[in-house]
Amino acid sequence: MSNHQPITHSARNPMRVGVLGFGGLGQAAARVLAPKREMRWVAAADQKGYVYSTEGLDPDRCIEVYRDRGSLGDLEPGGTHSTQSIEDLIRRGSQGVDGYFLALPNLPNTFMASVAKAFIESGWRGVLVDALKRTSAVEQLLELQDDLNNAGITYMTGCGATPGLLTAAAAVAAQSYAEIHSVKITFGVGIANWEAYRATIREDIAHLPGYDVERARAMTDAEVEALLDETDGLLKLEGMEHADDIMLELAGICDRDRVTVGGVVDTRNPKKPLSTNVRVTGRTFEGKISTHTFTLGDETSMAANVCGPAFGYLKAGINLHRRGIHGLFTAAEVMPQFVR
Ligand code: NAD
């Protein structure tokens, strides 16, 4: 097959995918995958167990068991309890999974890089996609570039909403300009209750003045609730350490100090407190200064804007992998491919 021929996936020959982490995003990922013909969801893991089925997993059943029993390890048949569920699942499903979406908390800030190392050491070959947020976390993966390449792993990083969808939109918008002056990402997130996305909220708290990742990680649920009580459930974030900056710099679009990210998270209302948007300002070849704005629809949830792109990048990564292209890629340098 020539390198330029698209590889066709179908219900008879679907991409077999796994989801690591089965909290807010992991469960949404299972629902996003359910109607897809090109992908079959065959594996999942949480902190206490994992499940693997070549026939495919039922999202309703998995979500029910996780909610009522606390782990996919309790799923019958197929569930297995484990305190090292990721390593065990990699071994068990080694030949049967083409790629994984890592819907895992990055707590501590080195966790995702340690998961990447576990995959490298396991001998598994395939595609990994994350929705990492922090610049320093993506920097750790950059150091693993050669190891990923040598291991035959195609790793797509920063492939959620921001970084992810909005970073990619900025990379496209930048093409009108001869010089990029600023990329300004402003997000609005509305969720009905913070417990549905504990890691996301803890990682956001880590950006507040006076907090860091370790402090936010060590907070009890009661302490998180007390903090949210003080702010009426709102988290107002500015000047965040977000990997959109390093991703746009690596893509050659602008220096990282021209990229800013901030937003508002309402943890008590699914309605977005503001419309998520990215504004890309630059100078055209004629010398005109202008701004492109890309705004997400207010009805789209955080889960839709993270999981959709994550699987779009997983499909793109699987096509790269099948062409023998391995190593580390970001959402700003590869186009996501729509999963049917
Ligand atoms: P969550 O807290 O709801 O769920 C985390 C899940 O991971 C749980 O199922 C837990 O059991 C599992 N887990 C934890 N440690 C594990 C381990 N060692 N092995 C296996 N499983 C383990 O998390 P969430 O709110 O869905 O967030 C997931 C990640 O997505 C966070 O890091 C968050 O920052 C990121 N995120 C990114 C974007 C983006 O746009 N890029 C947006 C939202 C969230």
Side-chain angles (χ1 to χ4, degrees):
M1 184 180 287
S2 107
N3 275 358
H4 299 287
Q5 231 170 336
I7 294 161
T8 51
H9 306 279
S10 64
R12 275 174 45 218
N13 177 31
M15 296 168 264
R16 298 155 307 171
V17 306
V19 175
L20 301 188
F22 205 59
L25 283 187
Q27 292 172 39
R31 292 217 190 280
V32 166
L33 282 176
K36 303 288 188 192
R37 285 172 289 118
E38 291 183 317
M39 286 188 174
R40 180 186 295 160
W41 179 42
V42 297
D46 58 51
Q47 202 162 14
K48 298 182 202 145
Y50 67 92
V51 60
Y52 175 70
S53 162
T54 49
E55 300 304 307
L57 296 166
D58 174 354
D60 291 336
R61 183 88 191 95
C62 288
I63 290 168
E64 189 184 302
V65 167
Y66 184 84
R67 190 191 53 217
D68 296 347
R69 312 278 299 274
S71 173
L72 291 166
D74 280 306
L75 193 78
E76 286 176 27
T80 307
H81 289 280
S82 167
T83 52
Q84 37 162 31
S85 58
I86 297 176
E87 286 82 356
D88 289 353
L89 176 57
I90 301 174
R91 260 195 300 278
R92 168 101 173 263
S94 63
Q95 301 309 317
V97 184
D98 298 310
Y100 288 94
F101 171 34
L102 310 176
L104 293 161
N106 194 35
L107 297 168
N109 195 38
T110 51
F111 184 63
M112 206 64 84
S114 73
V115 171
K117 282 183 199 149
F119 273 100
I120 289 166
E121 282 156 20
S122 74
W124 175 83
R125 297 165 69 85
V127 183
L128 299 174
V129 174
D130 72 39
L132 269 185
K133 295 215 262 202
R134 281 191 180 257
T135 309
S136 50
V138 169
E139 278 167 342
Q140 293 163 40
L141 287 170
L142 283 169
E143 286 176 22
L144 297 177
Q145 232 171 142
D146 290 343
D147 295 338
L148 288 164
N149 197 14
N150 295 336
I153 293 173
T154 306
Y155 192 117
M156 321 289 290
T157 190
C159 298
T162 166
L165 180 58
L166 295 171
T167 338
V172 173
Q175 308 305 320
S176 299
Y177 304 121
E179 186 187 33
I180 312 305
H181 293 164
S182 70
V183 176
K184 189 168 191 290
I185 292 173
T186 310
F187 62 81
V189 169
I191 52 179
N193 67 84
W194 85 275
E195 284 107 331
Y197 293 95
R198 284 170 205 260
T200 302
I201 297 306
R202 277 204 173 75
E203 288 178 39
D204 281 343
I205 288 172
H207 291 276
L208 292 174
Y211 288 82
D212 60 18
V213 176
E214 272 320 299
R215 180 162 178 213
R217 181 190 178 206
M219 286 169 83
T220 62
D221 286 359
E223 286 169 336
V224 172
E225 253 148 54
L227 172 72
L228 294 173
D229 275 344
E230 277 170 35
T231 64
D232 230 358
L234 294 176
L235 295 174
K236 294 184 181 156
L237 304 155
E238 46 188 51
M240 299 171 82
E241 183 213 316
H242 246 232
D244 308 82
D245 63 357
I246 190 174
M247 289 161 62
L248 290 169
E249 184 173 275
L250 285 169
I253 288 166
C254 61
D255 288 346
R256 65 178 83 181
D257 59 8
R258 297 191 174 197
V259 182
T260 51
V261 181
V264 179
V265 182
D266 189 342
T267 61
R268 295 182 178 168
N269 189 346
K271 191 170 176 298
K272 284 186 194 187
L274 55 91
S275 299
T276 297
N277 67 86
V278 52
R279 293 168 61 79
V280 183
T281 301
R283 180 181 48 77
T284 68
F285 76 102
E286 305 104 325
K288 300 269 193 234
I289 309 290
S290 187
T291 299
H292 284 328
T293 305
F294 174 69
T295 307
L296 302 187
D298 286 341
E299 301 77 11
T300 60
S301 61
M302 175 177 79
N305 291 319
V306 172
C307 297
F311 289 119
Y313 282 105
L314 183 57
K315 178 173 174 180
I318 288 174
N319 283 331
L320 291 176
H321 194 263
R322 289 185 180 168
R323 286 157 52 183
I325 301 168
H326 309 139
L328 186 75
F329 298 89
T330 82
E333 63 180 318
V334 174
M335 269 276 175
Q337 290 177 354
F338 192 77
V339 183
R340 281 167 294 174

